[in-house]
Amino acid sequence: DTTVSARTIRCHLNEKGRYGRRPLLTQRHKKARLEFAKTYVTKPQSFWENVLWTDETKVELFGKGQHGTVYRKRNEAFKEKNTVPTVKHGGGSKMFWGCFASFGTGCLDCVNDIMKSDFGRDVVAS
């Protein structure tokens, strides 16, 4: 007959080294991908020869892009085991862009400026 909150359960699991993770694909993502596949499954090879798939990613050189949680005892905030090292003044990440098509992969390009909608077109054309 005891009730506990979800937060209490998470805290106890974390103390035992068990951490929750969100799935990479939500149900909404899976449904959208299935609908995409159903729409394009009957397209001929000639259609796919004119498709260029692109993506970009940010690679972090130091630390995580989000704040983590540190569980500690009262009055132990500044003990070394409870602190997370950081790198100040930026410079901690790089953005990369790449593509592939039916004929193979394109080059992986480091993005030094702000990515605009014509970025991929300009990279592929060069």
Side-chain angles (χ1 to χ4, degrees):
D1 296 327
T2 303
T3 60
V4 290
S5 70
R7 180 179 176 162
T8 301
I9 293 170
R10 279 193 303 274
C11 286
H12 284 287
L13 287 171
N14 290 352
E15 288 172 1
K16 301 294 182 188
R18 304 291 190 255
Y19 301 96
R21 300 289 185 260
R22 295 182 90 149
L24 295 176
L25 294 176
T26 64
Q27 289 300 328
R28 185 174 55 87
H29 292 136
K30 292 176 184 178
K31 183 178 179 181
R33 287 180 177 207
L34 180 60
E35 290 304 316
F36 176 88
K38 287 178 179 179
T39 301
Y40 291 96
V41 70
T42 59
K43 294 289 185 182
Q45 178 69 27
S46 59
F47 173 84
W48 294 108
E49 290 171 356
N50 293 304
V51 173
L52 180 68
W53 300 91
T54 67
D55 201 5
E56 68 277 340
T57 189
K58 181 169 82 167
V59 177
E60 306 227 8
L61 304 176
F62 303 104
K64 301 179 201 171
Q66 60 217 18
H67 297 288
T69 303
V70 175
Y71 295 97
R72 60 180 171 78
K73 294 178 182 172
R74 189 178 302 273
N75 299 320
E76 290 189 355
F78 299 108
K79 287 191 173 182
E80 186 175 351
K81 69 178 184 177
N82 296 326
T83 60
V84 178
T86 61
V87 176
K88 302 296 182 194
H89 308 296
S93 66
K94 283 288 188 182
M95 182 72 88
F96 293 94
W97 180 93
C99 65
F100 69 92
S102 64
F103 54 84
T105 58
C107 293
L108 184 64
D109 196 46
C110 182
V111 179
N112 294 314
D113 297 319
I114 295 173
M115 281 189 68
K116 297 181 181 170
S117 61
D118 57 352
F119 175 84
R121 184 191 65 223
D122 294 342
V123 170
V124 172
S126 61

